[in-house]
């Protein structure tokens, strides 16, 4: 049999990350141990989960543990687990590349950091590059791993300098052993081969890891009487104690959520959050409670302070881990919370849950459904009770995902509508709730007005808002793609309909202006005919005050922003024809009307029609189909005007 062996290059991004990690995390070097222990603990979790359906995977080796071995002379430390391990292919997939799901988000973040050679630990924490933190302290890392159920093992080795080798090898037991050859000792760095240094770090960062983290330590033990050398009087002559090497468990493994709240410090809550979330930013807040009765469970939930980079990736991990009587059942438990709360991290421990429950039947499990209902209620209470400032910093990060609930969970729409916030034409860049909006509506104002688009500044100056501004009506500025979907479901708030400033009739005009409709009807027909490929209707506008033209939609039409989003996501849309609205009070319209009355066949009418359309497109920040035609027309007109 030929043994596979290859030398590979790190992905460019990994090389960058490695460099950044080594440079930026030097003063935080302790974290490497937490990261590697955390990976080991995840690997055991995974195996336990798999072994529920394939018990043979465990074999004799069913005492899970993570073993740390240190060697002060060789300056190495070793972290070994008997978890799920990795196959040859898995090593290549997982180590040396950036995790697939985060790649896009990661690259974006890297782009934003270009030129900076300092990453904050928090940022790295969000990338999920835990393994690479080994290179902060080591100049060579060797990983030997054997997947549960396999006979051959794989060795991965790198000096973190651009290449790594992978080869098949042998390993007596299942699991992963990582050996770090530590960099030469430096004064300002802890000695990671020192027993008490390691004890301290493990106690601080990994105390609640639910498997024993063990290390061989020297102990003094009494020498049994029959092994001692005694004198004539039966008194010992030599030593009565001796040094032995014993394996000691260094972490308490206490499930923090099962403890009495009063005994838990803020630091412990924080450390536990880091452990389960892999996010190094402290959480914004947490919720710890126990429910008794027919649905019995304990929950410790956290709201992160920063959104992860992959928040919107469909395959991003959800953050709730499910336990039963402190026995881990599964992570990434999507069934416990709806998508709009998928940013919540934490643990749910339900003692009555069937240990062998599979992801498939979880969805129908009554207990799980009840817990979910209850968790949702609690989270709504938590968010509602937050102080405005804290809530706004939460909302800035997670508002977009919360809004998904407006259209995916109509049963909670009212509660969600109370939680959403928008910037408005009057809010001076502050967040406004729908409640506040309604409370300060103008006399006679019957609807809640909103406008969607990607650029807040352009929205503020949109011609669609001219009449609304003249009436001093406030308008919600919705600049998040999710808003387009949310607003289609959220039809009203507190009995007030939500109305798009760019769609349908705003009914703002004074009644007698409607006679303009008849006066201009023939001219509008001519313009419509000229623009028949672009617009479906030409009519008097109820929105404009200063501008002469704008594009609008029928109440049920897709908005301009929605069209833009769909196109950006590569959807093949048929051209959406909109309504060209003209301001009949604008002097230009009177002039064009004059030209028309003089000669309905005047060739200039076609030119003016295109010009009006182009002005409307520009007014909403759109792109002209034929910019050179527009430029030529303006040029010609300037010549006439300046003559
Ligand atoms: P993360 O843990 O955030 O996914 P890492 O770079 O730490 O990122 O690890 C990458 C992947 O390598 C993990 O997702 C896991 O699949 C695998 N891995 C790392 N350490 C181990 C281990 N001790 N046992 C099994 N698999 C591991």
């Amino acid at each position: 049999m030929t043994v596979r062996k290859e030398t590979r290059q790190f992905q460019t991004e990994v090389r960058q990350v490695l460099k950044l990690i080594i440079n930026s995390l030097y003063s935080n070097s302790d974290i490497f141990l937490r990261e590697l222990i955390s990976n080991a603990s995840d690997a055991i979790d995974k195996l336990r989960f798999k072994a529920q359906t394939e018990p043979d995977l465990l074999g004799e080796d069913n005492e899970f543990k993570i073993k740390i071995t240190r060697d002060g002379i060789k300056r190495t430390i070793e972290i070994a687990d008997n978890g799920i391990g990795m196959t040859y292919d898995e090593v290549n997939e997982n180590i040396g590349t950036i995790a697939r799901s985060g790649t896009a988000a990661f690259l974006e973040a890297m782009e934003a950091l270009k030129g900076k050679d300092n990453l904050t630990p928090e940022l790295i924490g969000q990338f999920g590059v835990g393994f690479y933190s080994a290179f902060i302290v080591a100049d060579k890392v060797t990983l030997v791993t054997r997947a549960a159920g396999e006979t051959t093992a794989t060795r991965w080795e790198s000096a973190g300098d651009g290449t790594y080798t992978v080869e098949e090898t042998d390993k007596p037991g299942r699991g992963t052993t990582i050996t770090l050859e530590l960099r030469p000792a430096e004064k300002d760095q802890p000695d990671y081969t020192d027993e008490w240094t390691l004890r301290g770090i493990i106690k601080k960062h990994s105390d609640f890891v639910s498997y024993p983290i063990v290390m061989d330590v020297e102990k003094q033990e009494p020498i049994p009487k029959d092994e001692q050398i005694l004198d004539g009087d039966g008194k010992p002559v030599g030593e009565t104690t001796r040094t032995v090497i014993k394996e000691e468990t260094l972490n308490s493994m206490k499930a923090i959520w099962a403890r009495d709240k009063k005994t838990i410090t803020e630091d412990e809550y924080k450390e536990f959050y880091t452990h389960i979330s892999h996010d190094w930013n402290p959480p914004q807040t947490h919720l710890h409670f126990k429910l008794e009765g027919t649905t019995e469970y304990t929950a410790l939930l956290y709201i992160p302070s920063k959104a992860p980079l992959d928040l919107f990736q469909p395959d991003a991990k959800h953050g709730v881990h499910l336990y039963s009587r402190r026995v881990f059942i599964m992570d990434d438990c999507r069934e416990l919370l709806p998508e709009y709360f998928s940013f919540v991290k934490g643990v749910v421990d339900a003692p009555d849950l069937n240990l062998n429950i599979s992801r498939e039947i979880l969805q129908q499990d009554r207990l799980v459904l009840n817990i979910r209902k209850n968790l949702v209620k609690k989270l709504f209470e938590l968010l509602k009770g937050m102080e405005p400032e804290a809530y706004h910093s939460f909302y800035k990060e997670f508002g977009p995902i919360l809004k998904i609930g407006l259209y995916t969970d109509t049963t909670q729409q009212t509660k969600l509508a109370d939680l959403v916030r928008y910037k408005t034409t009057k809010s001076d860049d502050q967040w406004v709730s729908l409640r506040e909006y309604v409370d300060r509506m103008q006399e006679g104002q019957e609807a809640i007005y909103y406008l969607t688009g990607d650029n807040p500044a352009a929205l503020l100056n949109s011609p669609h808002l001219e009449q609304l501004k003249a009436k001093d009506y406030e308008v919600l500025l919705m600049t998040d793609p999710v808003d387009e979907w949310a607003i289609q479901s959220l039809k009203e708030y507190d009995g007030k309909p939500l109305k798009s400033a760019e769609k349908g009739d705003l009914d703002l005009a004074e009644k007698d202006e409607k006679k303009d409709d008849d006066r201009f009807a023939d001219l509008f027909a001519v313009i419509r005919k000229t623009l028949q490929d672009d617009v479906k209707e030409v009519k008097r506008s109820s929105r404009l005050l200063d501008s002469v033209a704008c594009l609008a939609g029928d109440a049920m039409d897709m908005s301009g922003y929605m069209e833009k989003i769909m196109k950006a996501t590569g959807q093949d849309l048929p051209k959406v024809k909109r309504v060209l609205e003209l301001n009949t009070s604008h002097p230009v319209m009177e002039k064009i009307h004059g030209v028309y009355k003089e000669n309905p066949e005047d060739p200039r009418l076609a030119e003016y029609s295109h010009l009006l359309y182009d002005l409307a497109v520009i007014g909403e920040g759109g792109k002209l189909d034929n910019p050179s035609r527009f430029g030529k027309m303006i040029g010609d007109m300037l010549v006439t005007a300046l003559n």
Side-chain angles (χ1 to χ4, degrees):
M1 191 186 98
T2 52
V3 174
R4 282 190 282 182
K5 173 165 184 170
E6 48 197 316
T7 300
R8 295 186 174 210
Q9 293 272 335
F10 280 113
Q11 254 182 339
T12 325
E13 297 78 35
V14 176
R15 273 211 299 274
Q16 281 171 290
V17 171
L18 272 173
K19 216 176 105 200
L20 288 168
I21 289 179
I22 297 167
N23 288 342
S24 330
L25 294 183
Y26 183 76
S27 51
N28 273 303
S29 53
D30 285 2
I31 56 140
F32 84 92
L33 192 59
R34 165 177 86 197
E35 294 298 305
L36 297 181
I37 289 177
S38 179
N39 280 351
S41 153
D42 288 350
I44 301 176
D45 278 347
K46 280 183 203 156
L47 177 62
R48 277 180 55 171
F49 184 60
K50 211 169 166 198
Q52 283 167 15
T53 45
E54 296 169 58
D56 290 348
L57 282 180
L58 296 186
E60 306 275 282
D61 185 8
N62 55 10
E63 266 184 48
F64 297 115
K65 67 177 173 189
I66 299 163
K67 179 150 189 167
I68 314 285
T69 311
R70 65 204 171 85
D71 185 327
I73 309 221
K74 287 202 230 142
R75 286 195 53 74
T76 59
I77 111 161
E78 203 179 275
I79 296 106
D81 66 67
N82 55 353
I84 194 154
M86 285 178 271
T87 62
Y88 189 89
D89 290 339
E90 282 165 349
V91 170
N92 278 313
E93 268 170 47
N94 295 334
I95 313 283
T97 54
I98 296 287
R100 292 149 306 276
S101 70
T103 310
F106 173 76
L107 290 178
E108 264 171 44
M110 285 298 278
E111 198 55 35
L113 284 167
K114 248 194 184 147
K116 297 188 191 155
D117 54 3
N118 248 318
L119 271 182
T120 58
E122 290 70 29
L123 210 44
I124 293 181
Q126 292 175 348
F127 293 156
V129 288
F131 173 77
Y132 302 114
S133 64
F135 288 101
I136 310 171
V137 296
D139 49 21
K140 187 169 157 205
V141 178
T142 310
L143 172 146
V144 178
T145 182
R146 198 177 110 192
E150 298 274 325
T151 47
T152 50
T154 306
R155 166 200 289 272
W156 180 100
E157 199 170 275
S158 175
D161 56 358
T163 61
Y164 58 92
T165 56
V166 194
E167 65 183 304
E168 284 177 352
T169 184
D170 292 319
K171 181 179 183 296
R174 157 202 85 214
T176 304
T177 300
I178 294 170
T179 309
L180 311 184
E181 292 182 23
L182 297 171
R183 294 178 194 286
E186 281 183 44
K187 271 205 199 65
D188 58 342
Q189 284 286 351
D191 176 6
Y192 293 111
T193 61
D194 175 65
E195 177 188 333
W196 292 95
T197 305
L198 293 173
R199 278 178 184 272
I201 300 174
I202 289 166
K203 192 80 203 154
K204 176 154 180 251
H205 293 301
S206 311
D207 195 50
F208 25 61
V209 167
S210 35
Y211 308 104
I213 303 168
V214 302
M215 184 159 75
D216 285 340
V217 294
E218 288 185 354
K219 291 230 148 149
Q220 292 297 316
E221 66 166 26
I223 302 173
K225 277 265 170 331
D226 56 348
E227 289 177 34
Q228 288 181 10
I229 305 164
L230 306 176
D231 63 13
D233 301 333
K235 291 222 173 83
V237 185
E239 301 280 339
T240 54
T241 59
R242 63 184 170 194
T243 307
V244 288
I245 306 281
K246 280 228 158 126
E247 194 176 272
E248 189 182 324
T249 298
L250 307 180
N251 57 329
S252 71
M253 291 181 277
K254 266 197 200 143
I256 177 170
W257 64 90
R259 281 165 53 190
D260 182 355
K261 264 161 82 161
K262 288 195 261 349
T263 68
I264 307 170
T265 65
E266 276 306 308
D267 269 352
E268 285 177 304
Y269 274 126
K270 235 161 71 182
E271 279 299 341
F272 184 67
Y273 169 76
T274 309
H275 172 63
I276 51 162
S277 68
H278 293 240
D279 170 14
W280 307 344
N281 297 300
Q284 174 156 32
T285 179
H286 69 258
L287 185 65
H288 186 187
F289 64 92
K290 184 171 179 173
L291 199 79
E292 281 165 340
T294 41
T295 307
E296 193 178 326
Y297 74 98
T298 303
L300 172 53
L301 302 181
Y302 293 89
I303 308 246
S305 55
K306 285 259 172 291
L309 295 165
D310 59 358
L311 185 63
F312 280 102
Q313 313 259 317
D315 54 353
K317 277 203 166 189
H318 287 221
V320 180
H321 301 230
L322 185 61
Y323 282 75
S324 179
R325 296 179 193 276
R326 302 178 206 183
V327 174
F328 173 84
I329 298 184
M330 67 180 76
D331 63 358
D332 189 19
C333 188
R334 287 160 193 261
E335 290 69 21
L336 284 173
L337 286 174
E339 189 189 359
Y340 57 90
F341 279 143
S342 59
F343 55 86
V344 173
K345 312 272 179 205
V347 166
V348 167
D349 189 327
D352 300 331
L353 201 71
N354 176 358
L355 278 183
N356 295 321
I357 197 160
S358 71
R359 286 191 192 271
E360 291 68 41
I361 59 169
L362 210 58
Q363 285 165 0
Q364 290 115 46
D365 189 87
R366 277 193 70 86
L367 179 61
V368 172
L369 288 174
N370 285 338
I371 295 177
R372 176 181 163 124
K373 230 166 101 187
N374 193 257
L375 288 176
V376 167
K377 193 171 138 239
K378 294 270 187 190
L379 283 168
F380 273 123
E381 284 166 11
L382 175 76
L383 294 177
K384 210 173 147 199
M386 270 161 93
E387 292 297 324
E389 202 176 316
Y391 186 71
H392 288 161
S393 59
F394 155 78
Y395 192 79
K396 204 166 71 91
E397 297 291 322
F398 299 106
I401 202 135
L402 202 63
K403 283 187 281 193
I404 291 178
L406 288 173
Y407 57 93
T408 54
D409 187 358
T410 43
T411 62
Q412 304 293 343
Q413 204 182 54
T414 322
K415 281 188 186 164
L416 284 160
D418 280 326
L419 288 177
V420 294
R421 300 285 183 272
Y422 299 99
K423 307 234 166 128
T424 79
T425 44
K426 292 185 177 184
S427 76
D428 200 16
D429 214 31
Q430 299 299 308
W431 296 106
V432 172
S433 68
L434 291 173
R435 176 81 270 143
E436 287 169 273
Y437 179 101
V438 168
D439 286 348
R440 63 191 194 205
M441 270 165 66
Q442 297 293 321
E443 190 117 339
Q445 181 182 347
E446 272 154 23
I448 299 171
Y449 294 99
Y450 68 88
L451 189 61
T452 60
D454 55 0
N455 181 345
L459 285 186
L460 261 179
N461 296 313
S462 164
H464 293 116
L465 303 183
E466 288 172 1
Q467 282 288 359
L468 290 163
K469 278 188 191 159
K471 290 207 170 296
D472 204 24
Y473 288 1
E474 187 167 12
V475 180
L476 305 172
L477 304 174
M478 301 190 174
T479 51
D480 184 349
V482 173
D483 291 325
E484 284 288 353
W485 280 269
I487 215 66
Q488 285 174 31
S489 280
L490 185 69
K491 299 252 184 304
E492 56 162 54
Y493 179 81
D494 194 19
K496 310 276 185 294
L498 272 100
K499 223 168 177 185
S500 166
E502 61 164 326
K503 288 199 280 186
D505 197 340
L506 290 188
D507 284 328
L508 297 173
E510 306 304 327
K511 292 283 176 273
D512 63 341
E513 282 188 17
K514 296 216 160 139
K515 69 177 190 293
D516 276 353
D517 290 347
D518 304 330
R519 215 155 58 84
F520 282 86
D522 294 344
L523 172 62
F524 284 177
V526 171
I527 299 176
R528 215 215 114 198
K529 188 140 188 288
T530 313
L531 298 175
Q532 60 189 351
D533 292 339
D534 299 309
V535 304
K536 62 176 174 184
E537 202 188 332
V538 177
K539 65 179 198 185
R540 180 185 55 80
S541 179
S542 58
R543 302 164 228 275
L544 299 176
L545 196 66
D546 305 320
S547 303
V548 61
C550 73
L551 288 167
D554 280 337
M556 298 310 289
D557 279 355
M558 193 185 275
S559 73
Y561 187 38
M562 180 70 132
E563 193 185 338
K564 207 165 159 185
I565 296 171
M566 302 292 258
K567 280 186 181 154
T569 55
Q571 312 229 17
D572 211 3
L573 289 182
K575 182 169 167 93
V576 186
K577 287 192 191 174
R578 294 168 70 200
V579 178
L580 177 66
E581 290 194 351
L582 299 170
N583 180 357
T584 49
S585 321
H586 198 288
V588 159
M589 286 315 298
E590 282 305 335
K591 296 261 187 215
I592 298 178
H593 200 206
V595 173
Y596 171 78
K597 276 192 293 194
E598 193 95 335
N599 173 15
E601 310 276 310
D602 193 317
R604 282 176 302 170
L605 287 171
E607 267 186 36
Y608 296 156
S609 303
H610 285 297
L611 194 59
L612 288 170
Y613 177 73
D614 287 353
L615 287 173
V617 172
I618 291 172
E620 61 177 25
K623 264 203 181 129
L624 296 181
D625 286 341
N626 191 345
S628 63
R629 180 188 63 197
F630 178 79
K632 183 171 178 311
M633 275 195 289
I634 294 288
D636 291 351
M637 283 181 171
L638 276 176
V639 171
T640 323
L642 297 174
N643 259 335

